[in-house]
Amino acid sequence: MTRSRTRTAVGVVLTALMLFPVYWMVNVSLTPQQDMRKDPPDLFPLHPTFQGYQAVLNDQLPYLLTSLLIGLGTVALTLAVSAPAAYALARLRPRGGGVLGMVLLIAQMIPGIVMAMGFYGIFLNYGLMNTWWGLIVADSTIAVPFGVMIFTAFMSGIPDELTAAALIDGAGSVRTFWSVVLPVSRNALVTVSLFSFLWAWSDFVFANTLDSGGSMQPITLGIYRYIGNNNQEWNAIMATAVVASIPAALLLVLAQRYVAAGVTAGAVKD
């Protein structure tokens, strides 16, 4: 019992330390500008103000909508590519599948800045610079290898009898994938969708390299430019960060159960 309580206490302390920056972000977002330079600063917003959040709605709303568009587009493209590819690797078992899996793993190790430099030359030649759909393509290159690995692990665990029954009933590979395999891969679908959305939502390297002069820019660039132009209005800056964090936090809370099942798929074999 004592050991259990000690572990709980240590866990609570570590969790509080990790969440303190989040709390401080919310605290500063509610602090009036004139109280910002207090020494020592207030641990609680004694005179809360919502001026920072008003500035978010006035100045940052277009950036938020663009990030939402890019995030959803990245999810759609990632699922459209990774799910069929994983089905082919897991169920059809083509030659060279193991080599392809290794290539996907190596692709996960390439630094984002290296990929951004490569994309810069390609996008410049094909007229994709400063476009939101170009960012969808770029962000998907990070999410697709991860999605293929998660889907492959999950689909490999689907009983062969399930797909064999569909084939006996006359369903082809495409129909089996769409009507049988994909519906039972719900946990993997949610996991891949969540992580691909979060990668696109939080991306700064690709956005700054490939869309710094576009008319539709994501919230990461919005915050970056807002800090550069208003480096004294910290309540508005922190309010922008809070609003930008809400979609990711909500998705993590709502999808936690599916993600836990999705990322552990294929870890245990009978």
Side-chain angles (χ1 to χ4, degrees):
M1 181 65 69
T2 303
R3 180 177 297 179
S4 177
R5 289 179 178 177
T6 302
R7 291 178 178 176
T8 301
V10 172
V12 169
V13 171
L14 293 177
T15 302
L17 290 175
M18 289 186 293
L19 292 180
F20 182 77
V22 178
Y23 165 74
W24 196 251
M25 179 174 65
V26 176
N27 180 32
V28 174
S29 72
L30 297 172
T31 302
Q33 192 65 33
Q34 62 270 18
D35 297 339
M36 202 67 64
R37 297 185 179 276
K38 276 188 176 182
D39 189 17
D42 295 328
L43 291 178
F44 303 96
L46 301 178
H47 307 286
T49 178
F50 292 93
Q51 293 178 350
Y53 292 93
Q54 292 176 354
V56 172
L57 295 178
N58 293 333
D59 301 332
Q60 302 295 315
L61 188 58
Y63 296 102
L64 288 168
L65 294 177
T66 301
S67 282
L68 182 62
L69 177 63
I70 294 173
L72 294 177
T74 301
V75 170
L77 182 57
T78 299
L79 294 179
V81 175
S82 61
Y87 173 70
L89 290 174
R91 311 304 302 183
L92 304 181
R93 298 179 178 89
R95 291 183 178 179
V99 176
L100 180 58
M102 181 61 65
V103 171
L104 291 173
L105 185 61
I106 294 174
Q108 292 284 88
M109 304 177 185
I110 301 176
I113 187 62
V114 175
M115 298 181 65
M117 293 298 99
F119 277 127
Y120 183 85
I122 296 173
F123 279 32
L124 202 60
N125 290 332
Y126 288 95
L128 294 176
M129 288 291 295
N130 301 323
T131 59
W132 58 269
W133 58 85
L135 278 185
I136 291 177
V137 174
D139 291 332
S140 297
T141 60
I142 299 292
V144 165
F146 172 82
V148 172
M149 289 189 293
I150 292 294
F151 274 123
T152 301
F154 194 93
M155 292 178 182
S156 296
I158 297 175
D160 292 334
E161 293 80 5
L162 194 63
T163 55
L167 294 175
I168 292 174
D169 290 339
S173 297
V174 176
R175 182 64 183 274
T176 301
F177 164 72
W178 184 259
S179 301
V180 178
V181 175
L182 206 57
V184 300
S185 303
R186 180 182 60 179
N187 293 336
L189 278 169
V190 174
T191 302
V192 174
S193 299
L194 175 65
F195 279 94
S196 58
F197 181 87
L198 293 179
W199 277 323
W201 184 268
S202 61
D203 168 62
F204 176 77
V205 174
F206 285 162
N208 192 42
T209 305
L210 306 174
D211 192 29
S212 59
S215 58
M216 297 177 63
Q217 299 178 358
I219 187 60
T220 49
L221 286 184
I223 296 175
Y224 176 70
R225 299 190 189 287
Y226 199 81
I227 294 176
N229 296 330
N230 306 276
N231 57 6
Q232 300 299 320
E233 299 180 11
W234 281 103
N235 57 351
I237 293 172
M238 291 301 179
T240 304
V242 170
V243 173
S245 302
I246 290 175
L250 287 177
L251 286 174
L252 284 171
V253 171
L254 294 175
Q256 180 181 9
R257 177 168 57 118
Y258 302 102
V259 171
V263 296
T264 57
V268 179
K269 297 293 184 180
D270 294 332

